[in-house]
């Protein structure tokens, strides 16, 4: 068992977009997570397995060695912190952006200019706190775990900090994106102890993933 390599992934876009990279490394997952209830998925390599965890739990699994490596959004990684995690690669998958959005009838620029105190609802409190601190904007943060779009519509907050991809969710809720905080993509994270103990196997995966990425400009 101690030569087993465990990769933590979350179901959905991260799983789906990691599959081509695994394939490039010669690894095929033998079960479809959308059809199976299993949380541990075998691969065509007896010593490589995939564990399915919540997206926000991937850094935790890798940090504490429940998995040797994992794929996680930069958003999740920043919120979790990078202690004990080696981050060799930007995989350039599950791309989106972290943005500030408000109701279309809310004059964000004027409020910021006036030095008003903004009430901001978000799941990403670290990113939001750092962003507004750098701008010198005073904020009261309201922590939410989902459906952030609802907050400005119900008067819970003036603004939200959330991930935006197509912008359709904002549009459907009459919200407008007023600032882009950062571009987001998913990262490969590796447990630092595993990197030493299982160096050759982990190196092989990093190199294969790296070779399969669009060439760096
Ligand atoms: O869903 P669950 O609560 O289990 O966890 P999760 O939401 O953290 O996982 P998942 O699989 O939805 O997202 C995993 C990672 O994908 C995130 O951490 C991001 O790095 C990345 N990603 C890429 C996205 C999006 N695109 C995205 N569009 N994560 C979420 N969204 C959501 C966004 O929050 C908003 O509600 O999609 C909605 C906006 O989409 P558009 O296309 O309407 O703009
Ligand atoms: Mg989600």
């Amino acid at each position: 068992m101690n030569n087993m390599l465990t990769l933590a992934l979350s179901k959905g876009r991260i799983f789906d977009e990691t599959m081509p990279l695994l394939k490039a490394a010669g690894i095929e997952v033998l079960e479809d997570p959308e059809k199976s209830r299993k949380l541990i998925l075998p691969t065509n390599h007896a010593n490589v397995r995939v564990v399915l965890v919540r997206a926000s739990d991937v850094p935790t699994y890798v940090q504490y060695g429940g998995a040797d490596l994992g794929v996680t959004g930069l958003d999740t990684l920043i919120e979790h912190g990078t202690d004990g995690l080696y981050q060799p690669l930007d995989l350039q998958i599950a791309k989106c952006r972290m943005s500030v959005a408000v109701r279309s009838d809310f004059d964000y620029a004027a409020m910021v200019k006036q030095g008003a105190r903004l009430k901001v609802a978000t799941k990403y409190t670290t990113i939001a706190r750092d962003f507004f601190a750098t701008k010198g904007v005073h904020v009261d943060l309201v922590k939410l775990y989902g459906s952030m779009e609802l907050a400005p519509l119900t008067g819970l907050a003036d603004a939200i900090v959330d991930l935006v991809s197509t912008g359709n969710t904002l549009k459907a809720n009459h919200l407008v994106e007023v600032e882009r905080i950062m571009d987001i993509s998913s990262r490969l994270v590796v447990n630092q102890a595993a990197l030493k103990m299982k160096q050759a196997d982990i190196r092989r995966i990093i190199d294969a993933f790296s070779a399969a990425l669009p060439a760096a400009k």
Side-chain angles (χ1 to χ4, degrees):
M1 261 328 239
N2 66 348
N3 71 334
M4 177 64 82
L5 260 195
T6 301
L7 171 67
L9 296 176
S10 53
K11 274 202 219 182
R13 63 191 116 219
I14 287 186
F15 183 91
D16 298 343
E17 297 187 36
T18 301
M19 285 308 103
L21 297 172
L22 280 177
K23 204 162 192 177
I27 298 166
E28 308 242 12
V29 178
L30 300 178
E31 264 178 271
D32 178 352
E34 301 302 333
K35 292 187 183 136
S36 163
R37 288 176 180 274
K38 285 189 188 168
L39 297 176
I40 300 181
L41 306 179
T43 72
N44 61 333
H45 288 254
N47 71 328
V48 181
R49 63 182 183 176
V50 168
V51 292
L52 296 175
V53 304
R54 280 295 291 263
S56 46
D57 291 334
V58 168
T60 307
Y61 267 82
V62 178
Q63 177 181 3
Y64 297 112
D68 300 303
L69 55 178
V71 177
T72 183
L74 177 61
D75 48 308
T76 306
L77 187 58
I78 293 173
E79 293 299 323
H80 173 87
T82 57
D83 269 10
L85 297 174
Y86 170 61
Q87 309 156 59
L89 285 178
D90 176 352
L91 299 175
Q92 301 174 51
I93 60 170
K95 286 186 182 177
C96 56
R97 55 195 186 270
M98 187 68 74
S99 293
V100 182
V102 299
R103 267 166 67 148
S104 47
D105 58 1
F106 182 82
D107 194 345
Y108 175 79
M111 294 301 272
V112 166
K113 208 164 155 199
Q114 282 167 30
R117 221 181 155 81
L118 284 182
K119 204 174 227 194
V120 178
T122 188
K123 178 175 163 184
Y124 309 99
T125 49
T126 299
I127 292 171
R129 186 176 294 111
D130 290 353
F131 175 72
F132 288 109
T134 303
K135 280 177 70 78
V137 173
H138 296 287
V139 292
D140 292 315
L141 291 178
V142 180
K143 168 87 183 184
L144 291 177
Y145 293 89
S147 303
M148 262 82 83
E149 299 84 6
L150 199 53
L153 306 179
T154 54
L156 183 69
D158 302 313
I160 60 171
V161 167
D162 196 7
L163 296 171
V164 182
S165 171
T166 60
N168 290 340
T169 305
L170 293 181
K171 207 173 292 165
N173 291 291
H174 310 287
L175 300 178
V176 290
E177 193 176 356
V178 286
E179 295 210 66
R180 178 189 284 236
I181 299 177
M182 64 176 79
D183 290 326
I184 299 285
S185 55
S186 288
R187 309 299 156 112
L188 182 65
V189 288
V190 182
N191 176 279
Q192 279 175 346
L195 185 64
K196 294 195 189 94
M197 306 292 291
K198 305 177 183 179
Q199 199 169 30
D201 286 339
I202 289 176
R203 259 295 139 211
R204 202 169 306 122
I205 289 181
I206 294 172
D207 291 346
F209 277 18
S210 170
L213 297 180
K217 275 165 272 160

